[in-house]
Structures are given as structure tokens and as C-alpha cells.
């Protein structure tokens, strides 16, 4: 049984117990009345507090469905017990005071007042505990969001640094090395290949893969070449819908990242990353990689414009 189910059951059982006490006292209160008066007394004397105690059952059930509050549910119970004891103390003080100063019918009603106070105290405490838990959850979410934004900003700054270095590149080999280094930094990947490919031939500029033969590299490069320019695709996690071409991953790979960079005179520049673990990029990581791709594409365009030599064609 999950922790939230245990705490939810505890809160619900407290509601059942208080409801039973309220019902018993309500029946006892009716002893001195007859006719419609009995109904009125029950509705206005016992009814509201019976509903309040029954609300704990609903709160207990609701707690079992709220996984996000599970770490703070002990605080909810502490709040409930603390408020219960506080109101019980007030009730005991009231009872003692009335014992000293009052007698007769007023004193006979004191136990009912005390039980009502305890019922209200338990519900108020649990509600305060849930509010406290919700506040703490919101603070955690805000901290996580702050950390996420800060991490994104740091990565974006690093992307700009890589972008500046890419724009200073004078050869395809330099662009390849920077692209591989950046993926190692951002994604922690180590097995990558930078390939120039067209319909007939492939040029492997850099290859850090292990256990992947040339034919498999060429097949992956051909799949990446058919993507839209500047796109990042992770296979098999986001196969881009029903129109995506089926592909067979190398036996050593669990996921592959396929990146189409830009066109060059020697073919389309693509970057391939292979991992033995399941990889899924979030949208922010994809955006950062797309920024990097745009820098790499600009660098390759600059090399072509300046007529810098590209690697010679090879079969």
C-alpha cells in the first residue's frame, strides 16, 4: 500500500470515528424531545457537525489520489492531530470552567459542545495541513523551474560559445570536431560520426563509434540525409508519425540521434550519435541543438563560400 493510501485511510478512519460519536450524541440529545422538534434538533444541533466529520472521509479519499503531496502527508496528519489536541484542550478548559461556575441544563450540554469543538478542530487541522503541503509543493515546483531556467540559460551560453568557435572554423574537420564535442558536453554521448553523404557516396569525416561497421554508419547517414534540414530526430522514441520511414538500429544501439546539418559541395553534412541507453530529448534540449545546428550550418556555408577545400570524395 502506498504511503498516501495509508495516510488517507488514517484520515478517513478519524472521520468515521468522529461521525459515529456525533451520531451517538445526536441520538442522546433527542431523548428529551418529541415530534417535529426531534427532527429540527437533529438537523441543526447534530447535522452540521456530522457533515463536518464525514468530510474527513472525503478528504481521506482525496489524499489517496494526490501523489504530489505524498512526501508531506505526515505533516498533514501532524497538523490534524495538533489542531485536534488544541481544540480538545479548549473543550476541556470549557468543561472545567462550567463545572465550577454553572450547573443544570447548561452543564448537561457541555460534553456535546466539547465533541463539536474536537470535530471542528480535526477538520481545520487537516485542511491547514493540506494547505501547508500544497504550499511546499508549489515552492518545490518554483525551485525546479528556477533551476531548469538557470540550466537552460547556462546551456544557451555554452551554445553561443560553440557558435562563435564554429563561425571561426576554416575546415569541415574543425566543424566536425566542434559538433562532436558539443554533443558530448550537452548529452553526454561518446559514440558519434560526422558524415558527408549523397545518393551515391559517403565521406566519414570523424567516427568515434565502437562496434558499428561502415555499412551501418552509411545507412544511418542516408536516413539522416532524408530529414528536413536543421532537424533533430531520436529513433526509436520520436519516429515523427506514421509517415516516418522504418529503420533498423545497429545491434549495439538502443537509441540513435540523427541530425541533418547543411548541404556542402561534397554532400549533405549529417551528425549521428549512438547510445546503448534509451534516450529521449525534451523540447528545450532540441531547441538548443537546433541553435547549434544553425551555427554549424552557417559555418559550413562560410567554408563553401570561401572555397576552402573539403575532404576528397571516397567510395
Amino acid at each position: 500500500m502506498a504511503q498516501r493510501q495509508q495516510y488517507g485511510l488514517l484520515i478517513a478512519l478519524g472521520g468515521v470515528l468522529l461521525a459515529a460519536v456525533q451520531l451517538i450524541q445526536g441520538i442522546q440529545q433527542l431523548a428529551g424531545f418529541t415530534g417535529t422538534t426531534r427532527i429540527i434538533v437533529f438537523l441543526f444541533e447534530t447535522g452540521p457537525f456530522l457533515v463536518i466529520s464525514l468530510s474527513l472521509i472525503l478528504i481521506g479519499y482525496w489524499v489517496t489520489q494526490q501523489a504530489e503531496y505524498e512526501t508531506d502527508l505526515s505533516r498533514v496528519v501532524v497538523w490534524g492531530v495538533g489542531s485536534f489536541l488544541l481544540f480538545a484542550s479548549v473543550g476541556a478548559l470549557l468543561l472545567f470552567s462550567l463545572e465550577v461556575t454553572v450547573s443544570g441544563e447548561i452543564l448537561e450540554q457541555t460534553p456535546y459542545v466539547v465533541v463539536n469543538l474536537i470535530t471542528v478542530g480535526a477538520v481545520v487541522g487537516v485542511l491547514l495541513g493540506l494547505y501547508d503541503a500544497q504550499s511546499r509543493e508549489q515552492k518545490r515546483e518554483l525551485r525546479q523551474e528556477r533551476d531548469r531556467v538557470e540550466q537552460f540559460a547556462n546551456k544557451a551560453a555554452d551554445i553561443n560559445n560553440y557558435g562563435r568557435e564554429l563561425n571561426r572554423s576554416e575546415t569541415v574537420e574543425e566543424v566536425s570536431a566542434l559538433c562532436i564535442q558539443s554533443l558530448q558536453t550537452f548529452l553526454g554521448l561518446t559514440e558519434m560520426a560526422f558524415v558527408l553523404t549523397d545518393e551515391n557516396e559517403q565521406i566519414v569525416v570523424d567516427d568515434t563509434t565502437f562496434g558499428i561497421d561502415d555499412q551501418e554508419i552509411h545507412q544511418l547517414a542516408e536516413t539522416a540525409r532524408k530529414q528536413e534540414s536543421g532537424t533533430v530526430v531520436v529513433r526509436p522514441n520520436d519516429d515523427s508519425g506514421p509517415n516516418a520511414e522504418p529503420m533498423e538500429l545497429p545491434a549495439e544501439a538502443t537509441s540513435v540521434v540523427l541530425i541533418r546539418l547543411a548541404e556542402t559541395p561534397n554532400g549533405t553534412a549529417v551528425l549521428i550519435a549512438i547510445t546503448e541507453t534509451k534516450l529521449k530529448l525534451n523540447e528545450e534540449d532540441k531547441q538548443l541543438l537546433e541553435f547549434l545546428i544553425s551555427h554549424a550550418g552557417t559555418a559550413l556555408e562560410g567554408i563553401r563560400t570561401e572555397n576552402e577545400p573539403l575532404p576528397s570524395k571516397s567510395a
Side-chain angles (χ1 to χ4, degrees):
M1 183 181 294
Q3 189 180 37
R4 66 177 183 274
Q5 293 174 332
Q6 295 174 351
Y7 282 113
L9 180 60
L10 181 63
I11 294 172
L13 287 176
V16 171
L17 179 62
L18 289 173
V21 173
Q22 287 288 344
L23 189 59
I24 292 171
Q25 285 198 342
I27 294 173
Q28 292 175 347
Q29 281 183 306
L30 298 180
F33 302 94
T34 58
T36 56
T37 305
R38 293 167 61 91
I39 299 176
I40 294 174
V41 170
F42 185 84
L43 288 177
F44 291 94
E45 289 288 338
T46 303
F49 297 99
L50 183 61
V51 171
I52 290 173
S53 58
L54 289 174
S55 67
L56 278 176
I57 300 175
L58 295 177
I59 294 173
Y61 173 76
W62 182 82
V63 163
T64 63
Q65 311 300 312
Q66 308 302 312
E68 63 270 25
Y69 299 143
E70 189 157 0
T71 56
D72 294 313
L73 287 180
S74 59
R75 301 181 65 88
V76 174
V77 174
V78 169
W79 271 100
V81 172
S83 182
F84 173 89
L85 294 176
L86 175 62
F87 278 69
S89 300
V90 172
L93 182 62
L94 175 64
L95 181 60
F96 175 77
S97 176
L98 291 176
E99 283 280 0
V100 174
T101 60
V102 182
S103 60
E105 292 184 2
I106 296 178
L107 187 57
E108 292 176 0
Q109 298 297 318
T110 302
Y112 304 116
V113 175
V114 172
V115 171
N116 292 342
L117 284 172
I118 291 173
T119 301
V120 173
V123 174
V124 168
V126 170
L127 291 177
L128 287 173
L130 289 174
Y131 177 78
D132 184 25
Q134 185 180 36
S135 298
R136 290 175 177 275
E137 176 64 21
Q138 289 175 346
K139 288 180 180 178
R140 282 193 293 268
E141 290 177 354
L142 287 173
R143 283 197 299 268
Q144 291 172 357
E145 182 67 15
R146 180 197 62 197
D147 293 341
R148 184 189 63 79
V149 171
E150 183 177 352
Q151 186 179 35
F152 181 84
N154 291 336
K155 286 183 177 181
D158 290 338
I159 285 288
N160 287 332
N161 292 334
Y162 277 109
R164 284 193 293 269
E165 293 301 320
L166 282 167
N167 291 328
R168 296 191 186 104
S169 300
E170 298 180 353
T171 65
V172 172
E173 286 84 354
E174 291 181 10
V175 174
S176 172
L178 285 169
C179 287
I180 289 175
Q181 183 182 355
S182 63
L183 257 67
Q184 289 175 338
T185 301
F186 295 130
L187 302 181
L189 303 177
T190 57
E191 297 190 51
M192 284 169 280
F194 188 103
V195 183
L196 300 176
T197 179
D198 58 24
E199 294 180 355
N200 302 312
E201 297 176 304
Q202 290 85 25
I203 301 170
V204 179
V205 180
D206 281 309
D207 183 4
T208 63
T209 61
F210 179 77
I212 310 294
D213 60 39
D214 291 343
Q215 184 61 34
E216 289 175 321
I217 293 293
H218 294 167
Q219 289 175 352
L220 292 173
E222 179 63 16
T223 301
R225 184 182 70 83
K226 295 178 180 178
Q227 297 174 188
E228 294 183 9
S229 182
T231 56
V232 181
V233 173
V234 180
R235 299 291 186 93
N237 291 327
D238 49 22
D239 287 327
S240 303
N243 296 325
E245 291 187 14
M247 65 173 292
E248 183 177 350
L249 300 182
E252 295 81 0
T254 301
S255 298
V256 296
V257 181
L258 305 177
I259 301 175
R260 188 180 192 272
L261 295 172
E263 297 292 338
T264 75
N266 289 61
T268 304
V270 300
L271 187 60
I272 302 163
I274 298 170
T275 174
E276 296 180 358
T277 59
K278 189 174 182 181
L279 179 67
K280 188 172 181 63
L281 300 179
N282 57 41
E283 289 302 316
E284 292 177 353
D285 286 337
K286 284 188 176 182
Q287 289 176 10
L288 290 171
L289 287 178
E290 287 168 2
F291 292 153
L292 181 67
I293 292 169
S294 66
H295 287 303
T298 302
L300 290 169
E301 288 290 334
I303 292 171
R304 184 175 66 181
T305 301
E306 296 172 10
N307 296 318
E308 290 290 341
L310 293 170
S312 60
K313 285 275 188 176
S314 62

